[in-house]
């Protein structure tokens, strides 16, 4: 076999491997273009003054403001188990607000009821005896068989039953807390058999504001994290992201609401990408992979 023949023999299987890899890349790119998570929430939200009378007397320079933020989550093109958690952050630092309380708090759930274990122990005792013998009779050859017996039986039975009840292990479905020195709240929402990540999530936060506070905006960040198989390897992936400013206005105030309804500027436009841009990127990648696959086919045919 000549040198050229040997090179061609190695080239065919190598070309086949490259072809398979490129076909897989085309499939992954086309699939990833359809995977997305959409977050939807209003860019304006009303607040309500819920300062108790006794607190107003104790802290006359502060007041409590309650803000409700419903956030809607929608999945598209997902297989079960790809989304691992939703990360939501609400930051009141730029508005000069400090967190007093929030809902929902951390929640733990279990799929099982109380686990009960029953253990039974039985003890039994018995005692018995027999005495026998033969007595000759002095009349001919007759022997009288006399078998006296003595039996003493003692039986004792005890049964003990022990029941142990244990709480089943619990898994977190919501983990929440504060950040930015108490000026913001984070929520990590996880999937379970009892709840759904998709749908509307109601968030409520009570902020401490100065008594002379007139208004401001919250920074709301939503990220969908999970894993995605790329070339048969699971990789951490962000499937959706939204970062926006939410303007606050007092509940029932028409004038202040109209002011807040003016177009708000996205906090960080670089963190969001339009679906069209993502689709065009994957389309270009798929076209390039197809062209490379054709070139690999041509190399195999030589």
């Amino acid at each position: 076999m000549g040198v050229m023949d040997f090179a061609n023999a190695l080239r065919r299987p190598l070309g086949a491997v490259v072809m398979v890899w490129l076909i897989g890349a085309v499939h992954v790119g086309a699939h990833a273009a359809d995977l997305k998570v959409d977050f939807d929430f209003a860019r304006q939200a009303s607040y309500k003054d819920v300062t108790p009378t006794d607190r107003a007397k104790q802290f006359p320079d502060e007041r409590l403001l309650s803000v409700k933020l419903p956030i809607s989550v929608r999945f598209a093109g997902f297989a079960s188990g790809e989304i691992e958690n939703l990360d939501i952050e609400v930051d009141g630092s730029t508005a000069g607000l400090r967190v007093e309380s929030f809902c929902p708090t951390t929640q733990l759930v279990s799929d099982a009821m109380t686990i009960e274990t029953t253990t039974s122990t039985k003890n039994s005792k018995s005692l018995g005896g027999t005495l026998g013998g033969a007595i000759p009779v002095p009349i001919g050859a007759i022997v009288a068989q006399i078998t006296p017996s003595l039996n003493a039986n003692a039986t004792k039975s005890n049964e003990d039953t022990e029941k142990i009840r244990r709480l089943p292990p619990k898994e977190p479905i919501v983990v929440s807390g504060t950040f930015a020195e108490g000026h913001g709240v984070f929520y990590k929402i996880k999937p379970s058999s009892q709840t759904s990540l998709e749908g509307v999530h109601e968030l409520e936060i009570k902020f401490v504001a100065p008594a002379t506070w007139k208004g401001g905006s919250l920074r709301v960040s939503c990220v969908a994290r999970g894993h995605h198989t790329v070339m048969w390897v699971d990789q951490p992936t962000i499937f959706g992201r939204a970062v926006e400013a939410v303007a606050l206005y007092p509940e029932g105030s028409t004038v202040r609401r109209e002011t807040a309804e003016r177009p708000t500027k996205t906090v960080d436009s670089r963190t969001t990408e339009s679906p069209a841009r993502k689709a065009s990127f994957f389309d270009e990648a798929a076209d390039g992979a197809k062209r490379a696959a054709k070139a690999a086919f041509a190399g195999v045919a030589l």
Side-chain angles (χ1 to χ4, degrees):
M1 178 183 292
V3 176
M4 294 300 295
D5 294 337
F6 179 74
N8 290 332
L10 290 177
R11 194 167 153 189
R12 286 189 177 91
L14 180 61
V17 172
V18 172
M19 179 187 65
V20 172
W21 184 87
L22 290 173
I23 292 174
V26 172
H27 175 72
V28 170
H31 182 60
D34 297 331
L35 302 183
K36 64 178 181 177
V37 175
D38 294 328
F39 294 96
D40 183 62
F41 52 91
R43 301 302 183 262
Q44 304 85 29
S46 64
Y47 65 85
K48 183 178 181 180
D49 192 330
V50 293
T51 309
T53 304
D54 54 348
R55 181 184 175 87
K57 293 179 180 179
Q58 186 177 3
F59 304 100
D61 296 333
E62 297 179 351
R63 55 178 176 153
L64 287 182
L65 307 180
S66 177
V67 179
K68 294 183 179 181
L69 293 173
I71 296 180
S72 178
V73 181
R74 182 182 181 184
F75 296 170
F78 275 94
S80 177
E82 289 184 342
I83 292 296
E84 295 177 355
N85 58 267
L86 305 176
D87 290 339
I88 301 175
E89 293 183 356
V90 181
D91 191 356
S93 301
T94 57
L97 302 176
R98 187 178 77 254
V99 177
E100 195 271 339
S101 62
F102 50 88
C103 182
T105 55
T106 299
Q107 298 177 8
L108 302 175
V109 298
S110 175
D111 293 336
M113 303 295 288
T114 303
I115 300 174
E116 182 176 299
T117 303
T118 303
T119 303
S120 299
T121 303
K122 186 174 182 179
N123 298 321
S124 180
K125 297 180 180 179
S126 179
L127 175 64
T130 301
L131 177 62
I135 301 177
V137 179
I139 303 175
I142 300 176
V143 178
Q145 297 289 338
I146 300 176
T147 307
S149 62
L150 177 64
N151 292 318
N153 296 320
T155 302
K156 183 179 181 181
S157 179
N158 294 325
E159 183 174 351
D160 298 328
T161 301
E162 182 182 41
K163 291 184 178 181
I164 300 176
R165 292 185 177 180
R166 295 183 295 109
L167 294 177
K170 293 184 177 181
E171 298 291 337
I173 58 172
V174 177
V175 178
S176 56
T178 61
F179 69 95
E181 299 181 354
H183 291 277
V185 181
F186 72 87
Y187 300 90
K188 185 182 291 291
I189 304 174
K190 300 185 177 184
S192 75
S193 62
Q194 308 297 318
T195 59
S196 173
L197 290 181
E198 193 172 13
V200 178
H201 300 273
E202 295 281 352
L203 310 181
E204 183 175 2
I205 306 172
K206 290 182 181 179
F207 291 101
V208 178
T212 57
W213 191 79
K214 299 299 182 181
S217 297
L218 301 175
R219 179 183 181 275
V220 180
S221 172
C222 304
V223 181
R225 303 182 187 275
H227 65 273
H228 179 58
T229 302
V230 179
M231 296 307 296
W232 307 284
V233 177
D234 280 347
Q235 295 185 1
T237 306
I238 293 178
F239 293 107
R241 184 196 300 266
V243 182
E244 297 288 345
V246 176
L248 300 178
Y249 64 91
E251 187 178 58
S253 176
T254 305
V255 177
R256 297 284 293 276
R257 179 175 181 178
E258 291 175 353
T259 303
E261 284 179 350
R262 294 173 182 174
T264 56
K265 184 179 179 181
T266 302
V267 176
D268 188 358
S269 59
R270 292 174 300 175
T271 59
T272 59
E273 285 187 283
S274 65
R277 181 180 177 183
K278 290 182 180 179
S280 63
F281 169 78
F282 286 113
D283 290 341
E284 292 176 2
D287 291 339
K290 289 178 181 178
R291 289 193 295 270
K294 290 181 179 179
F297 270 117
V300 172
L302 291 177

